Amino acid sequence: MSVSEEIKRLHELNQAGALSDAEFAQAKARLLSGPALDKSNGEGGSELVQEFNRFRRSPRDRWLGGVCGGLGQASGMESWIWRLIFVLFTLSFGFGLVIYILLWIFVPDEEQIGN
């Protein structure tokens, strides 16, 4: 939903009496001053973007490349669940192994970054 659509929805709620004028003004101000993704330097953005930027391959919890261990740390899920997901995608659709290899190549190792 775009910002203009959200403002229109807030206005409709205000007109219907679900929001007072003060609540409408406060919600509109919060919506307009919300964090926007700055495309020039990549700062700001949503929580998901920030978590994805912190995603690193794990040097401690690894079987092959540490991808599932890193996914486990970033998502808060156990790494064995990610391993199971990759195996199921490989057996069911055939592209789980390709995704794993691409993540192994393009996601930096935690030790290489110095974290």
Side-chain angles (χ1 to χ4, degrees):
M1 182 179 277
S2 70
V3 174
S4 62
E5 291 172 342
E6 290 183 32
I7 291 175
K8 182 180 177 184
R9 181 69 182 137
L10 286 173
H11 180 67
E12 290 171 359
L13 289 171
N14 184 16
Q15 294 297 322
L19 290 175
S20 68
D21 290 337
E23 291 171 331
F24 171 70
Q26 189 178 34
K28 183 178 172 184
R30 190 177 328 127
L31 182 65
L32 292 174
S33 68
L37 184 59
D38 185 6
K39 292 179 176 59
S40 62
N41 61 10
E43 293 179 3
S46 69
E47 213 173 286
L48 179 64
V49 172
Q50 292 171 358
E51 284 295 321
F52 188 72
N53 287 335
R54 287 191 292 237
F55 172 46
R56 302 286 182 253
R57 290 185 293 125
S58 173
R60 295 170 299 282
D61 186 10
R62 74 174 0 157
W63 282 7
L64 290 174
V67 173
C68 293
L71 283 170
Q73 290 174 353
S75 67
M77 290 174 31
E78 295 289 330
S79 58
W80 67 267
I81 296 172
W82 285 107
R83 290 182 183 105
L84 181 65
I85 290 171
F86 278 109
V87 168
L88 290 176
F89 270 96
T90 299
L91 295 176
S92 301
F93 306 111
F95 62 84
L97 185 62
V98 173
I99 293 172
Y100 188 90
I101 291 172
L102 288 174
L103 287 173
W104 192 353
I105 292 170
F106 291 111
V107 173
D109 196 12
E110 193 174 279
E111 293 172 345
Q112 293 172 349
I113 301 299
N115 289 339

